[in-house]
Amino acid sequence: MSQEIVSKVSSYLTPHVPLNLIAQGAEAVVFTTNVHPYLPAKDSSNKSYIIKYRPAKRYRHPLIDRSLTKHRTLSESRLLAKLFLIPGLKVPQLIACDVYNGYLWIEFLGEDLPNNGGFSNLKNFLWMFASSDPYDPIVKETLIKVGQQIGLLHWNDYCHGDLTSSNIVLVREGFQSWQPYLIDFGLGSSSNMVEDKGVDLYVLERAIVSTHSLFAETYKEWLMDGFSQVYRGNGSNGEKKLKEVISRFQEVRMRGRKRSMIG
């Protein structure tokens, strides 16, 4: 299946666009390339870009499939464009999109940042420290930053929809500093509902617990510390909204626990 998709994408992009398959999920396939969709090859060959492609689903009627592909690709591209303009919020920049064929060209994170020394997703980052010092000050600082990014997202009334530790990318800046970016907004939305925000937080909590259960309680505290800082920085209104989100988060958590007990 992977080779079939690669062949299809290659034929769409013409043979002069090299592709490197880096991820394949239920919804989309992700490639890297060193060719910009608009710039001449000589001006972009020293950089990398992300191509996200939504392949056709054979179990759906072709008309329904094309409609869903167009809607979801357009929705994600619009959301990314809006989020990129929010001060302080770190998301990859949208470069181009083809909503009819299900393609997004997105910034490859990290290459243009000063003192770049690599990148990782949050899941692998925490595994990296688990065997040495899971409570390293770098881990605390980074998780607080992650919480701040989620806080900024929610404060501006947007939700991620699939907020796992794999969808948070950390770009290394300098020797001991990591900048978190939120990625993959295929299920994202504009929402001021505390239920949606509570679900976002619960999904991330479950991701942390499932992969780093020994340290999860401390990690959750650091995440919520950063998250709360954003809301509290907006005065009494922020304090009020923070209480509402945390209250709903606890309700969502209790519902999740009951479902787990029932099976």
Side-chain angles (χ1 to χ4, degrees):
M1 182 63 175
S2 296
Q3 187 55 48
E4 180 183 347
I5 292 175
V6 172
S7 298
K8 181 176 178 60
V9 176
S10 296
S11 64
Y12 167 79
L13 296 172
T14 77
H16 304 295
V17 179
L19 294 172
N20 177 34
L21 177 63
I22 60 172
Q24 180 175 354
E27 175 71 13
V29 185
V30 180
F31 303 87
T32 59
T33 184
N34 63 351
V35 175
H36 192 281
Y38 304 128
L39 297 177
K42 63 182 181 64
D43 295 330
S44 61
S45 59
N46 62 333
K47 295 183 179 181
S48 295
Y49 307 93
I50 294 291
I51 297 177
K52 181 176 180 179
Y53 168 61
R54 286 180 166 86
K57 301 295 188 292
R58 294 176 178 174
Y59 57 82
R60 293 196 294 236
H61 188 282
L63 290 177
I64 296 175
D65 186 68
R66 285 195 292 270
S67 177
L68 285 173
T69 296
K70 176 184 175 182
H71 171 74
R72 291 174 179 174
T73 306
L74 182 60
S75 176
E76 184 175 4
S77 63
R78 284 176 171 171
L79 187 60
L80 268 178
K82 291 176 181 177
L83 295 178
F84 189 75
L85 298 177
I86 296 176
L89 186 62
K90 301 295 184 179
V91 299
Q93 184 178 18
L94 175 69
I95 297 173
C97 68
D98 178 348
V99 298
Y100 298 101
N101 292 293
Y103 288 89
L104 290 177
W105 294 66
I106 305 171
E107 168 191 16
F108 185 90
L109 293 172
E111 286 196 328
D112 295 328
L113 296 177
N115 303 316
N116 172 47
F119 64 94
S120 171
N121 61 34
L122 179 61
K123 179 180 178 180
N124 291 334
F125 172 85
L126 295 177
W127 277 122
M128 183 172 65
F129 282 92
S131 59
S132 54
D133 185 2
Y135 303 116
D136 190 296
I138 298 174
V139 178
K140 179 178 181 179
E141 175 190 340
T142 303
L143 287 175
I144 289 175
K145 287 182 179 179
V146 171
Q148 290 170 343
Q149 288 298 304
I150 300 168
L152 276 170
L153 182 73
H154 285 183
W155 177 255
N156 285 279
D157 286 337
Y158 292 97
C159 290
H160 188 280
D162 188 22
L163 194 58
T164 67
S165 52
S166 297
N167 285 334
I168 299 170
V169 168
L170 305 175
V171 177
R172 191 166 189 169
E173 299 178 287
F175 181 64
Q176 292 184 323
S177 180
W178 295 80
Q179 176 61 58
Y181 284 72
L182 305 181
I183 67 167
D184 195 356
F185 285 88
L187 298 176
S189 63
S190 171
S191 175
N192 59 6
M193 296 178 62
V194 290
E195 174 75 12
D196 293 339
K197 297 171 185 180
V199 170
D200 256 4
L201 294 174
Y202 178 68
V203 169
L204 181 58
E205 179 184 73
R206 295 312 305 162
I208 297 293
V209 169
S210 66
T211 55
H212 307 90
S213 56
L214 293 178
F215 325 114
E217 287 303 317
T218 300
Y219 289 172
K220 288 187 292 182
E221 288 179 10
W222 292 342
L223 285 165
M224 290 309 297
D225 182 12
F227 182 88
S228 301
Q229 286 176 19
V230 174
Y231 275 74
R232 289 178 176 141
N234 286 277
S236 58
N237 187 40
E239 287 279 2
K240 178 185 176 182
K241 289 189 174 183
L242 176 62
K243 291 179 181 178
E244 292 173 353
V245 172
I246 291 178
S247 176
R248 186 57 59 91
F249 170 38
Q250 293 170 344
E251 290 179 18
V252 172
R253 178 192 287 160
M254 289 303 298
R255 295 202 301 266
R257 287 177 178 172
K258 287 179 180 178
R259 281 197 294 269
S260 297
M261 292 172 64
I262 294 172

